Structure formats: C-alpha cells, structure tokens
Amino acid sequence: MKRSMSRSTHNITVTAMLSAVAFILMFLEFPAPLMPSFVKLDISDLPALLGTFALGPVSGIVIEGIKNLLFILFHGTSSAGVGELCNFLLGCCFVVPSGLIYRRRKTRKRAVVGSLVGCAVMAACSLPINLFLVYPAYVRFYGLPLENIIEMYQAILPGVNSLLACLTIFNLPFTFIKGLLDALLCFLIYKPLSPILHHGRGDS
C-alpha cells in the first residue's frame, strides 16, 4: 500500500510538473510558414505527450486541461475561452489515441504508430473544431469579418474561396505537422527523462 501511495504521489508530481512546463511553452509562439499571421506554432502539447507515454492518457488530458486553465488565469482570454477550449480539445485528440495505442504494448514502434495516429486524428478533428467553434469565435469576439479571414488565406493562395477550403488546404496539414514536431521532440528527450517520469526506472 505504501508503494502504491508513493507511486500515486509521484504520478501527481510529474503531471503537475509537466503541466507547468506546458503552460510556459504556450507563451513561446512562432510564426507559421505559409499560414496567415494570426496562426502561430507552439510545442505546448509536448509535455502532455510525455505524460501520456509515461503515465497514461488520463495524465495527458489533465496536463492539457491544467495548462489552459493556468493560461486563462495568468494571461487572460480574448475569446471567452474558446481559443483555450480549442487548444484543449485538439491536444486531447492528439494525446489520447497516442496513449491508448502505446499502452497496449509499450514499444518504440507502438509509440511511433500511436503518435502518427494521434497526429492524424488531431488534424482531422481540427476541421470541425475550427469551422464551427474557433473561427465563428474570431468573427464574434475579435470583430473580424469572415471575408477578411478568407482574404488572409487568399493572399497566400488566391484560388481558395471558402473557409472549409482554407482549413482543408492550410490548417489540416499544419496541424498534422505540428503534431509531428511534438512527437519528434518527445522521442528525442523521452529516454533521458525516463528515470524522472517513471519514478527512477527506465522504459521503452
């Protein structure tokens, strides 16, 4: 029982630590190539993916939730929390499939497959989430007409003439590549961090 409590305390501590790192990483945004200026690239899903592989999908969900709650508390929100909700939903779409596939057989190959599936699920889910939640929020809370948003995409590719086309051509592959970046970084640092993540023991 004592060992179980120790492991539980460790899991809570690691989840809290990774949540704090994810929160900090939300502030490190970079302009995304071949995307409108309001779309930024960040790697704040990286700690959630680390937590998912180390402790399970629930830990990844908690990390995604805490980082966005902290962001709202300390930074505020200009979209009534819609942007943060989107970040949470897409993050969960990424880490949950990754974690479920990896959990069944904890090998490097399963981690790679899980990450790729997670990237694909997140990219696919970005279409309805952006189409029905995020971009309507931009229109309402930022006072930015939808036509102006589409014009920002048309400045890059004049042929696009609808929001769905913009999201399919630009946001879907961008979201997939963003997930790949998080996964690649995860594979690079997971092994060195494994003793910390796993209470002093290594893992695949």
Side-chain angles (χ1 to χ4, degrees):
M1 183 176 180
K2 184 177 180 180
R3 181 178 179 181
S4 177
M5 290 180 62
S6 174
R7 182 171 298 281
S8 177
T9 300
H10 172 264
N11 290 353
I12 292 173
T13 301
V14 170
T15 298
M17 176 188 68
L18 291 174
S19 299
V21 174
F23 162 65
I24 294 171
L25 290 176
M26 290 187 76
F27 290 92
L28 302 179
E29 297 181 328
F30 307 94
L34 300 177
M35 293 291 289
S37 59
F38 62 86
V39 178
K40 303 296 183 182
L41 175 67
D42 71 73
I43 56 171
S44 64
D45 290 326
L46 170 60
L49 188 61
L50 287 168
T52 296
F53 284 152
L55 307 175
V58 172
S59 177
I61 293 172
V62 172
I63 293 168
E64 292 287 353
I66 291 177
K67 75 167 185 178
N68 280 288
L69 288 175
L70 289 175
F71 191 79
I72 291 174
L73 287 173
F74 290 96
H75 179 269
T77 177
S78 56
S79 60
V82 173
E84 290 73 26
L85 176 60
C86 171
N87 187 284
F88 170 74
L89 292 175
L90 289 180
C92 290
C93 290
F94 178 40
V95 301
V96 171
S98 301
L100 290 176
I101 291 173
Y102 177 69
R103 186 172 63 177
R104 296 186 64 179
R105 190 181 303 134
K106 295 185 177 181
T107 64
R108 184 175 295 274
K109 181 179 179 180
R110 297 285 290 190
V112 171
V113 172
S115 297
L116 291 174
V117 172
C119 290
V121 171
M122 178 171 64
C125 291
S126 71
L127 286 179
I129 290 175
N130 279 313
L131 186 63
F132 298 113
L133 181 64
V134 177
Y135 281 74
Y138 284 162
V139 172
R140 177 173 180 180
F141 295 108
Y142 292 105
L144 189 61
L146 184 58
E147 294 78 10
N148 290 6
I149 296 176
I150 294 175
E151 286 175 359
M152 295 181 186
Y153 286 97
Q154 290 175 331
I156 305 170
L157 184 64
V160 293
N161 54 16
S162 70
L163 179 58
L164 180 58
C166 295
L167 296 176
T168 303
I169 295 172
F170 290 94
N171 291 57
L172 190 152
F174 166 76
T175 304
F176 185 82
I177 293 171
K178 178 179 179 294
L180 286 180
L181 176 61
D182 287 319
L184 176 61
L185 293 173
C186 178
F187 294 140
L188 289 175
I189 66 175
Y190 186 84
K191 198 68 176 181
L193 293 178
S194 189
I196 298 173
L197 299 174
H198 294 280
H199 205 177
R201 63 180 177 83
D203 200 10
S204 300

PDB file of all heavy atoms in Angstrom, residues 111-141:
ATOM      1  N   ALA A 111       4.884   3.390 -30.012  1.00  0.00           N
ATOM      2  CA  ALA A 111       4.891   4.823 -29.728  1.00  0.00           C
ATOM      3  C   ALA A 111       4.870   5.624 -31.022  1.00  0.00           C
ATOM      4  O   ALA A 111       4.161   6.635 -31.125  1.00  0.00           O
ATOM      5  CB  ALA A 111       6.119   5.187 -28.890  1.00  0.00           C
ATOM      6  N   VAL A 112       5.638   5.175 -32.011  1.00  0.00           N
ATOM      7  CA  VAL A 112       5.660   5.855 -33.308  1.00  0.00           C
ATOM      8  C   VAL A 112       4.296   5.763 -33.978  1.00  0.00           C
ATOM      9  O   VAL A 112       3.746   6.762 -34.460  1.00  0.00           O
ATOM     10  CB  VAL A 112       6.752   5.257 -34.212  1.00  0.00           C
ATOM     11  CG1 VAL A 112       6.628   5.819 -35.623  1.00  0.00           C
ATOM     12  CG2 VAL A 112       8.142   5.552 -33.644  1.00  0.00           C
ATOM     13  N   VAL A 113       3.732   4.542 -34.008  1.00  0.00           N
ATOM     14  CA  VAL A 113       2.413   4.354 -34.619  1.00  0.00           C
ATOM     15  C   VAL A 113       1.367   5.181 -33.887  1.00  0.00           C
ATOM     16  O   VAL A 113       0.530   5.853 -34.509  1.00  0.00           O
ATOM     17  CB  VAL A 113       2.022   2.863 -34.615  1.00  0.00           C
ATOM     18  CG1 VAL A 113       0.581   2.688 -35.071  1.00  0.00           C
ATOM     19  CG2 VAL A 113       2.959   2.067 -35.510  1.00  0.00           C
ATOM     20  N   GLY A 114       1.395   5.147 -32.562  1.00  0.00           N
ATOM     21  CA  GLY A 114       0.432   5.916 -31.777  1.00  0.00           C
ATOM     22  C   GLY A 114       0.522   7.398 -32.057  1.00  0.00           C
ATOM     23  O   GLY A 114      -0.496   8.081 -32.199  1.00  0.00           O
ATOM     24  N   SER A 115       1.749   7.913 -32.149  1.00  0.00           N
ATOM     25  CA  SER A 115       1.942   9.335 -32.422  1.00  0.00           C
ATOM     26  C   SER A 115       1.402   9.718 -33.796  1.00  0.00           C
ATOM     27  O   SER A 115       0.761  10.766 -33.954  1.00  0.00           O
ATOM     28  CB  SER A 115       3.421   9.701 -32.323  1.00  0.00           C
ATOM     29  OG  SER A 115       3.909   9.488 -31.030  1.00  0.00           O
ATOM     30  N   LEU A 116       1.660   8.882 -34.791  1.00  0.00           N
ATOM     31  CA  LEU A 116       1.164   9.173 -36.139  1.00  0.00           C
ATOM     32  C   LEU A 116      -0.363   9.159 -36.176  1.00  0.00           C
ATOM     33  O   LEU A 116      -0.988  10.025 -36.818  1.00  0.00           O
ATOM     34  CB  LEU A 116       1.724   8.162 -37.135  1.00  0.00           C
ATOM     35  CG  LEU A 116       3.231   8.257 -37.418  1.00  0.00           C
ATOM     36  CD1 LEU A 116       3.673   7.106 -38.311  1.00  0.00           C
ATOM     37  CD2 LEU A 116       3.569   9.597 -38.063  1.00  0.00           C
ATOM     38  N   VAL A 117      -0.959   8.188 -35.499  1.00  0.00           N
ATOM     39  CA  VAL A 117      -2.421   8.158 -35.432  1.00  0.00           C
ATOM     40  C   VAL A 117      -2.940   9.390 -34.700  1.00  0.00           C
ATOM     41  O   VAL A 117      -3.925  10.016 -35.120  1.00  0.00           O
ATOM     42  CB  VAL A 117      -2.910   6.871 -34.735  1.00  0.00           C
ATOM     43  CG1 VAL A 117      -4.416   6.929 -34.487  1.00  0.00           C
ATOM     44  CG2 VAL A 117      -2.563   5.647 -35.576  1.00  0.00           C
ATOM     45  N   GLY A 118      -2.272   9.759 -33.600  1.00  0.00           N
ATOM     46  CA  GLY A 118      -2.670  10.954 -32.867  1.00  0.00           C
ATOM     47  C   GLY A 118      -2.588  12.209 -33.721  1.00  0.00           C
ATOM     48  O   GLY A 118      -3.491  13.060 -33.679  1.00  0.00           O
ATOM     49  N   CYS A 119      -1.531  12.325 -34.514  1.00  0.00           N
ATOM     50  CA  CYS A 119      -1.392  13.471 -35.424  1.00  0.00           C
ATOM     51  C   CYS A 119      -2.547  13.502 -36.425  1.00  0.00           C
ATOM     52  O   CYS A 119      -3.114  14.571 -36.700  1.00  0.00           O
ATOM     53  CB  CYS A 119      -0.072  13.385 -36.174  1.00  0.00           C
ATOM     54  SG  CYS A 119       1.401  13.668 -35.176  1.00  0.00           S
ATOM     55  N   ALA A 120      -2.872  12.337 -36.970  1.00  0.00           N
ATOM     56  CA  ALA A 120      -3.940  12.253 -37.974  1.00  0.00           C
ATOM     57  C   ALA A 120      -5.301  12.593 -37.360  1.00  0.00           C
ATOM     58  O   ALA A 120      -6.106  13.322 -37.960  1.00  0.00           O
ATOM     59  CB  ALA A 120      -3.973  10.863 -38.591  1.00  0.00           C
ATOM     60  N   VAL A 121      -5.571  12.081 -36.169  1.00  0.00           N
ATOM     61  CA  VAL A 121      -6.845  12.365 -35.502  1.00  0.00           C
ATOM     62  C   VAL A 121      -6.954  13.851 -35.171  1.00  0.00           C
ATOM     63  O   VAL A 121      -8.000  14.474 -35.384  1.00  0.00           O
ATOM     64  CB  VAL A 121      -6.989  11.509 -34.227  1.00  0.00           C
ATOM     65  CG1 VAL A 121      -8.207  11.952 -33.419  1.00  0.00           C
ATOM     66  CG2 VAL A 121      -7.102  10.035 -34.582  1.00  0.00           C
ATOM     67  N   MET A 122      -5.874  14.420 -34.650  1.00  0.00           N
ATOM     68  CA  MET A 122      -5.887  15.845 -34.314  1.00  0.00           C
ATOM     69  C   MET A 122      -6.115  16.695 -35.563  1.00  0.00           C
ATOM     70  O   MET A 122      -6.899  17.656 -35.542  1.00  0.00           O
ATOM     71  CB  MET A 122      -4.576  16.248 -33.636  1.00  0.00           C
ATOM     72  CG  MET A 122      -4.495  17.732 -33.289  1.00  0.00           C
ATOM     73  SD  MET A 122      -3.074  18.185 -32.263  1.00  0.00           S
ATOM     74  CE  MET A 122      -1.706  17.793 -33.368  1.00  0.00           C
ATOM     75  N   ALA A 123      -5.444  16.346 -36.660  1.00  0.00           N
ATOM     76  CA  ALA A 123      -5.606  17.104 -37.899  1.00  0.00           C
ATOM     77  C   ALA A 123      -7.034  17.005 -38.417  1.00  0.00           C
ATOM     78  O   ALA A 123      -7.634  18.005 -38.829  1.00  0.00           O
ATOM     79  CB  ALA A 123      -4.619  16.600 -38.949  1.00  0.00           C
ATOM     80  N   ALA A 124      -7.590  15.790 -38.391  1.00  0.00           N
ATOM     81  CA  ALA A 124      -8.962  15.602 -38.871  1.00  0.00           C
ATOM     82  C   ALA A 124      -9.964  16.353 -38.010  1.00  0.00           C
ATOM     83  O   ALA A 124     -10.896  16.995 -38.519  1.00  0.00           O
ATOM     84  CB  ALA A 124      -9.304  14.117 -38.899  1.00  0.00           C
ATOM     85  N   CYS A 125      -9.780  16.308 -36.705  1.00  0.00           N
ATOM     86  CA  CYS A 125     -10.700  16.995 -35.786  1.00  0.00           C
ATOM     87  C   CYS A 125     -10.557  18.512 -35.854  1.00  0.00           C
ATOM     88  O   CYS A 125     -11.476  19.239 -35.450  1.00  0.00           O
ATOM     89  CB  CYS A 125     -10.464  16.517 -34.359  1.00  0.00           C
ATOM     90  SG  CYS A 125     -10.973  14.807 -34.056  1.00  0.00           S
ATOM     91  N   SER A 126      -9.409  18.980 -36.349  1.00  0.00           N
ATOM     92  CA  SER A 126      -9.222  20.432 -36.442  1.00  0.00           C
ATOM     93  C   SER A 126     -10.211  21.061 -37.415  1.00  0.00           C
ATOM     94  O   SER A 126     -10.566  22.242 -37.273  1.00  0.00           O
ATOM     95  CB  SER A 126      -7.791  20.764 -36.872  1.00  0.00           C
ATOM     96  OG  SER A 126      -7.555  20.430 -38.238  1.00  0.00           O
ATOM     97  N   LEU A 127     -10.673  20.292 -38.404  1.00  0.00           N
ATOM     98  CA  LEU A 127     -11.618  20.844 -39.380  1.00  0.00           C
ATOM     99  C   LEU A 127     -12.943  21.250 -38.731  1.00  0.00           C
ATOM    100  O   LEU A 127     -13.319  22.427 -38.800  1.00  0.00           O
ATOM    101  CB  LEU A 127     -11.854  19.852 -40.518  1.00  0.00           C
ATOM    102  CG  LEU A 127     -10.725  19.701 -41.533  1.00  0.00           C
ATOM    103  CD1 LEU A 127     -11.102  18.672 -42.583  1.00  0.00           C
ATOM    104  CD2 LEU A 127     -10.407  21.035 -42.203  1.00  0.00           C
ATOM    105  N   PRO A 128     -13.686  20.328 -38.091  1.00  0.00           N
ATOM    106  CA  PRO A 128     -14.950  20.762 -37.480  1.00  0.00           C
ATOM    107  C   PRO A 128     -14.764  21.722 -36.322  1.00  0.00           C
ATOM    108  O   PRO A 128     -15.585  22.631 -36.123  1.00  0.00           O
ATOM    109  CB  PRO A 128     -15.594  19.444 -37.021  1.00  0.00           C
ATOM    110  CG  PRO A 128     -14.468  18.474 -36.900  1.00  0.00           C
ATOM    111  CD  PRO A 128     -13.493  18.861 -37.973  1.00  0.00           C
ATOM    112  N   ILE A 129     -13.698  21.539 -35.534  1.00  0.00           N
ATOM    113  CA  ILE A 129     -13.484  22.427 -34.387  1.00  0.00           C
ATOM    114  C   ILE A 129     -13.227  23.856 -34.855  1.00  0.00           C
ATOM    115  O   ILE A 129     -13.780  24.818 -34.310  1.00  0.00           O
ATOM    116  CB  ILE A 129     -12.331  21.902 -33.514  1.00  0.00           C
ATOM    117  CG1 ILE A 129     -12.761  20.622 -32.799  1.00  0.00           C
ATOM    118  CG2 ILE A 129     -11.904  22.963 -32.491  1.00  0.00           C
ATOM    119  CD1 ILE A 129     -11.658  19.955 -32.008  1.00  0.00           C
ATOM    120  N   ASN A 130     -12.388  24.016 -35.864  1.00  0.00           N
ATOM    121  CA  ASN A 130     -12.123  25.361 -36.390  1.00  0.00           C
ATOM    122  C   ASN A 130     -13.327  25.925 -37.132  1.00  0.00           C
ATOM    123  O   ASN A 130     -13.650  27.109 -37.006  1.00  0.00           O
ATOM    124  CB  ASN A 130     -10.909  25.331 -37.324  1.00  0.00           C
ATOM    125  CG  ASN A 130      -9.591  25.354 -36.588  1.00  0.00           C
ATOM    126  OD1 ASN A 130      -9.394  26.145 -35.678  1.00  0.00           O
ATOM    127  ND2 ASN A 130      -8.689  24.460 -36.959  1.00  0.00           N
ATOM    128  N   LEU A 131     -13.993  25.074 -37.899  1.00  0.00           N
ATOM    129  CA  LEU A 131     -15.099  25.530 -38.740  1.00  0.00           C
ATOM    130  C   LEU A 131     -16.299  25.981 -37.918  1.00  0.00           C
ATOM    131  O   LEU A 131     -16.917  27.015 -38.222  1.00  0.00           O
ATOM    132  CB  LEU A 131     -15.513  24.407 -39.698  1.00  0.00           C
ATOM    133  CG  LEU A 131     -16.558  24.750 -40.753  1.00  0.00           C
ATOM    134  CD1 LEU A 131     -16.041  25.822 -41.706  1.00  0.00           C
ATOM    135  CD2 LEU A 131     -16.940  23.489 -41.539  1.00  0.00           C
ATOM    136  N   PHE A 132     -16.631  25.240 -36.875  1.00  0.00           N
ATOM    137  CA  PHE A 132     -17.859  25.514 -36.132  1.00  0.00           C
ATOM    138  C   PHE A 132     -17.637  26.189 -34.776  1.00  0.00           C
ATOM    139  O   PHE A 132     -18.595  26.672 -34.171  1.00  0.00           O
ATOM    140  CB  PHE A 132     -18.635  24.210 -35.917  1.00  0.00           C
ATOM    141  CG  PHE A 132     -19.063  23.551 -37.189  1.00  0.00           C
ATOM    142  CD1 PHE A 132     -18.526  22.335 -37.574  1.00  0.00           C
ATOM    143  CD2 PHE A 132     -19.996  24.157 -38.029  1.00  0.00           C
ATOM    144  CE1 PHE A 132     -18.915  21.725 -38.762  1.00  0.00           C
ATOM    145  CE2 PHE A 132     -20.394  23.560 -39.213  1.00  0.00           C
ATOM    146  CZ  PHE A 132     -19.851  22.338 -39.576  1.00  0.00           C
ATOM    147  N   LEU A 133     -16.383  26.229 -34.319  1.00  0.00           N
ATOM    148  CA  LEU A 133     -16.126  26.800 -32.989  1.00  0.00           C
ATOM    149  C   LEU A 133     -15.159  27.973 -33.026  1.00  0.00           C
ATOM    150  O   LEU A 133     -15.500  29.084 -32.622  1.00  0.00           O
ATOM    151  CB  LEU A 133     -15.584  25.702 -32.062  1.00  0.00           C
ATOM    152  CG  LEU A 133     -15.277  26.105 -30.613  1.00  0.00           C
ATOM    153  CD1 LEU A 133     -16.561  26.520 -29.898  1.00  0.00           C
ATOM    154  CD2 LEU A 133     -14.604  24.942 -29.872  1.00  0.00           C
ATOM    155  N   VAL A 134     -13.957  27.726 -33.525  1.00  0.00           N
ATOM    156  CA  VAL A 134     -12.894  28.728 -33.394  1.00  0.00           C
ATOM    157  C   VAL A 134     -13.114  29.938 -34.294  1.00  0.00           C
ATOM    158  O   VAL A 134     -13.103  31.088 -33.829  1.00  0.00           O
ATOM    159  CB  VAL A 134     -11.524  28.090 -33.688  1.00  0.00           C
ATOM    160  CG1 VAL A 134     -10.428  29.151 -33.635  1.00  0.00           C
ATOM    161  CG2 VAL A 134     -11.247  26.980 -32.696  1.00  0.00           C
ATOM    162  N   TYR A 135     -13.335  29.711 -35.585  1.00  0.00           N
ATOM    163  CA  TYR A 135     -13.439  30.844 -36.496  1.00  0.00           C
ATOM    164  C   TYR A 135     -14.718  31.654 -36.281  1.00  0.00           C
ATOM    165  O   TYR A 135     -14.688  32.884 -36.377  1.00  0.00           O
ATOM    166  CB  TYR A 135     -13.271  30.385 -37.939  1.00  0.00           C
ATOM    167  CG  TYR A 135     -11.819  30.156 -38.278  1.00  0.00           C
ATOM    168  CD1 TYR A 135     -11.133  29.040 -37.786  1.00  0.00           C
ATOM    169  CD2 TYR A 135     -11.101  31.062 -39.050  1.00  0.00           C
ATOM    170  CE1 TYR A 135      -9.795  28.835 -38.065  1.00  0.00           C
ATOM    171  CE2 TYR A 135      -9.765  30.863 -39.340  1.00  0.00           C
ATOM    172  CZ  TYR A 135      -9.116  29.744 -38.837  1.00  0.00           C
ATOM    173  OH  TYR A 135      -7.783  29.552 -39.116  1.00  0.00           O
ATOM    174  N   PRO A 136     -15.855  31.020 -35.958  1.00  0.00           N
ATOM    175  CA  PRO A 136     -17.006  31.841 -35.547  1.00  0.00           C
ATOM    176  C   PRO A 136     -16.699  32.695 -34.317  1.00  0.00           C
ATOM    177  O   PRO A 136     -17.205  33.821 -34.203  1.00  0.00           O
ATOM    178  CB  PRO A 136     -18.078  30.790 -35.246  1.00  0.00           C
ATOM    179  CG  PRO A 136     -17.746  29.655 -36.142  1.00  0.00           C
ATOM    180  CD  PRO A 136     -16.238  29.607 -36.146  1.00  0.00           C
ATOM    181  N   ALA A 137     -15.850  32.180 -33.417  1.00  0.00           N
ATOM    182  CA  ALA A 137     -15.458  32.967 -32.243  1.00  0.00           C
ATOM    183  C   ALA A 137     -14.592  34.153 -32.650  1.00  0.00           C
ATOM    184  O   ALA A 137     -14.716  35.254 -32.097  1.00  0.00           O
ATOM    185  CB  ALA A 137     -14.714  32.088 -31.244  1.00  0.00           C
ATOM    186  N   TYR A 138     -13.687  33.938 -33.624  1.00  0.00           N
ATOM    187  CA  TYR A 138     -12.891  35.061 -34.136  1.00  0.00           C
ATOM    188  C   TYR A 138     -13.805  36.159 -34.679  1.00  0.00           C
ATOM    189  O   TYR A 138     -13.589  37.348 -34.416  1.00  0.00           O
ATOM    190  CB  TYR A 138     -11.964  34.587 -35.261  1.00  0.00           C
ATOM    191  CG  TYR A 138     -10.748  33.821 -34.815  1.00  0.00           C
ATOM    192  CD1 TYR A 138     -10.039  33.025 -35.718  1.00  0.00           C
ATOM    193  CD2 TYR A 138     -10.284  33.887 -33.510  1.00  0.00           C
ATOM    194  CE1 TYR A 138      -8.912  32.314 -35.331  1.00  0.00           C
ATOM    195  CE2 TYR A 138      -9.167  33.181 -33.111  1.00  0.00           C
ATOM    196  CZ  TYR A 138      -8.488  32.397 -34.017  1.00  0.00           C
ATOM    197  OH  TYR A 138      -7.381  31.697 -33.642  1.00  0.00           O
ATOM    198  N   VAL A 139     -14.799  35.754 -35.425  1.00  0.00           N
ATOM    199  CA  VAL A 139     -15.720  36.725 -36.016  1.00  0.00           C
ATOM    200  C   VAL A 139     -16.457  37.495 -34.927  1.00  0.00           C
ATOM    201  O   VAL A 139     -16.611  38.724 -34.997  1.00  0.00           O
ATOM    202  CB  VAL A 139     -16.726  36.013 -36.945  1.00  0.00           C
ATOM    203  CG1 VAL A 139     -17.803  36.986 -37.419  1.00  0.00           C
ATOM    204  CG2 VAL A 139     -15.995  35.412 -38.153  1.00  0.00           C
ATOM    205  N   ARG A 140     -16.896  36.779 -33.901  1.00  0.00           N
ATOM    206  CA  ARG A 140     -17.703  37.419 -32.862  1.00  0.00           C
ATOM    207  C   ARG A 140     -16.881  38.249 -31.895  1.00  0.00           C
ATOM    208  O   ARG A 140     -17.197  39.407 -31.618  1.00  0.00           O
ATOM    209  CB  ARG A 140     -18.480  36.350 -32.085  1.00  0.00           C
ATOM    210  CG  ARG A 140     -19.303  36.924 -30.938  1.00  0.00           C
ATOM    211  CD  ARG A 140     -20.190  35.885 -30.303  1.00  0.00           C
ATOM    212  NE  ARG A 140     -20.967  36.457 -29.214  1.00  0.00           N
ATOM    213  CZ  ARG A 140     -21.829  35.775 -28.470  1.00  0.00           C
ATOM    214  NH1 ARG A 140     -22.036  34.484 -28.712  1.00  0.00           N
ATOM    215  NH2 ARG A 140     -22.496  36.359 -27.499  1.00  0.00           N
ATOM    216  N   PHE A 141     -15.802  37.667 -31.360  1.00  0.00           N
ATOM    217  CA  PHE A 141     -15.074  38.320 -30.273  1.00  0.00           C
ATOM    218  C   PHE A 141     -14.000  39.289 -30.763  1.00  0.00           C
ATOM    219  O   PHE A 141     -13.636  40.214 -30.050  1.00  0.00           O
ATOM    220  CB  PHE A 141     -14.455  37.269 -29.347  1.00  0.00           C
ATOM    221  CG  PHE A 141     -15.469  36.437 -28.620  1.00  0.00           C
ATOM    222  CD1 PHE A 141     -15.674  35.109 -28.967  1.00  0.00           C
ATOM    223  CD2 PHE A 141     -16.250  36.991 -27.611  1.00  0.00           C
ATOM    224  CE1 PHE A 141     -16.622  34.339 -28.303  1.00  0.00           C
ATOM    225  CE2 PHE A 141     -17.196  36.229 -26.940  1.00  0.00           C
ATOM    226  CZ  PHE A 141     -17.391  34.903 -27.285  1.00  0.00           C
TER     227      PHE A 141
END
